[in-house]
């Protein structure tokens, strides 16, 4: 399509084959374009061993692997049980399952993209960043500027702009947005759940834009609410995270009925909780070894302690850790003996934690 539109010239078949078979991001992204990768492939200055890039790539790869193996896979076991045993869930445990899936899909997919970026560094190549703290978004449009950034870029360039973008009036803009998100849902799977997920995001995106349009013309809501900027930011992030997490229910569910049943389970506050069953999936052997060393094995609260640790670490990585900067650049990894030992220890922990077959969620779409 780029050749047909005249954006790039027709290229040799060998260059094209190199581009489409570059393996790190081949299966699940990030979605790269020809113009950002081929200049790197053809740059002779990049065809030498760079030990700084090797170290950086190793660190980024280990971070992605840890996200997948230590966090996403553990959360996924609890999520799978929750969706399988809907009749056992109470209101609060249902909320936990919904939040756990929001965390799982982020750590799973961003972990894969981090591993791809790390492998790219090993070859002195820069693969575009695909996530910039998406759960720090303050509204749905902001979320899609941070989540799967290369997919948003792809749909904007090859669907939204050809449809007219925002150049044909507001109603046409809203319709174009809805079409893009509908296609995005079908992109992930040809099922009603994915279509509903896409439509939900499209409607929420349009609702935010309508609100901002109205806000510009109505003086009595033009002023900011009487709360501090930091508190307003926290509230906006919390509401956006809740909306995105609820939409993820349709993305994860096997059917619309299952999604609606899970959502209705949030209001079963009169029923006993199933926190013990959820906590058992966080009862990792590594934690057991620590408690055995402290002669505290067999205590009832150990699985709950492990679940709380997972939640706190996940929350810190998402909302507390700086990670990738807002400019979309990785932080600089300065090699020190201590950091090398920490990353090697984290890699060893990941390797020892492998159990059974584990696939990336986005391999299914």
């Amino acid at each position: 399509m780029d050749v047909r539109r005249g954006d790039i010239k027709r290229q040799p078949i060998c260059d094209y084959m190199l581009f489409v078979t570059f393996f790190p991001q081949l299966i699940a992204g990030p979605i790269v374009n020809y113009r950002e990768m081929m200049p790197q492939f053809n740059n002779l200055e990049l065809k030498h061993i760079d030990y700084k890039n090797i170290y950086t790539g190793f660190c980024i790869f280990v971070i992605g692997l840890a996200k997948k193996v230590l966090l996403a896979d553990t959360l996924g076991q609890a999520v799978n049980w929750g969706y399988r045993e809907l009749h056992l869930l109470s209101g609060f445990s249902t909320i936990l399952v919904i939040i756990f899936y929001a965390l799982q899909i982020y750590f799973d997919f961003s972990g894969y993209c981090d591993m791809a970026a790390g492998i790219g560094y090993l070859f002195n190549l820069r693969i575009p960043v695909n996530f910039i703290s998406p759960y720090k978004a303050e509204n749905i449009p902001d979320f899609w500027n941070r989540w799967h950034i290369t997919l948003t870029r792809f749909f904007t360039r090859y669907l939204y702009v050809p449809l007219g973008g925002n150049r044909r009036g507001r109603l046409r803009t809203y319709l174009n947005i809805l079409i893009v998100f509908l296609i995005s849902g079908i992109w992930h799977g040809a099922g009603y759940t994915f279509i509903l997920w896409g439509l939900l995001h499209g409607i929420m995106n349009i609702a935010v834009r309508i609100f901002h349009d109205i806000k510009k013309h109505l003086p009595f809501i033009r002023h900011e609410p009487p709360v501090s900027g930091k508190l307003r930011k926290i509230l906006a992030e919390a509401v956006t995270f809740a909306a995105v997490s609820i939409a993820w229910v349709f993305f994860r569910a096997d059917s619309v009925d299952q999604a609606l049943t899970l959502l209705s389970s949030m209001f079963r506050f009169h029923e006993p909780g199933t926190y013990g069953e959820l906590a058992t999936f966080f009862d990792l052997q590594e934690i057991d070894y620590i408690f055995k060393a402290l002669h505290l094995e067999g205590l009832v609260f150990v699985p709950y302690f492990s679940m709380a640790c997972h939640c706190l670490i996940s929350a810190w990585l998402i909302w507390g850790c700086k990670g990738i900067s807002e400019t979309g650049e990785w932080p600089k990894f300065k090699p020190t003996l201590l950091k090398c030992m920490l990353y090697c220890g984290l890699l060893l922990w990941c390797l020892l934690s492998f159990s059974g077959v584990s696939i990336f969620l986005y391999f299914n779409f």
Side-chain angles (χ1 to χ4, degrees), residues 192-193 196 250 253-261:
Y192 291 117
T193 52
L196 281 174
F250 292 93
D254 297 326
S255 65
V256 176
D257 288 340
Q258 186 186 47
L260 295 176
T261 301

Side-chain angles (χ1 to χ4, degrees), residues 181-213:
F181 278 100
L182 175 62
I183 299 299
S184 176
I186 298 173
W187 168 288
H188 288 89
Y192 291 117
T193 52
F194 294 107
I195 292 173
L196 281 174
W197 171 79
L199 288 175
L200 277 173
H201 272 280
I203 292 169
M204 290 189 292
N205 196 303
I206 292 170
V208 171
R209 293 170 183 270
I210 290 175
F211 174 76
H212 285 301
D213 288 341

Side-chain angles (χ1 to χ4, degrees), residues 126-163:
R126 299 294 184 269
I127 294 176
V129 169
N130 214 21
F131 294 88
I132 303 179
S133 304
Y135 290 146
K136 288 182 180 179
E138 297 182 31
N139 53 56
I140 297 300
D142 186 26
F143 172 79
W144 281 102
N145 287 331
R146 298 166 175 265
W147 176 278
H148 205 344
I149 298 169
T150 56
L151 179 66
T152 302
R153 180 182 68 179
F154 178 86
F155 276 124
T156 300
R157 180 175 178 80
Y158 298 110
L159 184 59
Y160 180 68
V161 172
L163 285 173

Side-chain angles (χ1 to χ4, degrees), residues 219-271:
F220 62 90
I221 64 171
R222 189 178 301 170
H223 301 288
E224 297 292 341
V227 293
S228 66
K230 192 170 184 179
L231 178 59
R232 185 169 63 251
K233 184 177 186 297
I234 292 173
L235 291 174
E237 289 180 6
V239 171
T240 303
F241 177 72
V244 170
S245 298
I246 290 173
W248 281 134
V249 172
F250 292 93
F251 194 87
R252 168 60 178 79
D254 297 326
S255 65
V256 176
D257 288 340
Q258 186 186 47
L260 295 176
T261 301
L262 182 70
L263 291 174
S264 65
S265 299
M266 288 193 297
F267 305 100
R268 295 180 186 168
F269 291 108
H270 60 284
E271 297 185 12

Side-chain angles (χ1 to χ4, degrees), residues 93-126:
S93 58
T94 300
I95 294 173
L96 285 179
V97 169
I98 292 172
I99 293 175
F100 286 167
Y101 183 69
L103 300 178
Q104 179 199 1
I105 194 170
Y106 170 65
F107 288 128
D108 189 282
F109 192 21
S110 68
Y112 176 89
C113 292
D114 292 350
M115 293 167 70
I119 295 173
Y121 265 92
L122 298 180
F123 292 98
N124 296 331
L125 300 174
R126 299 294 184 269

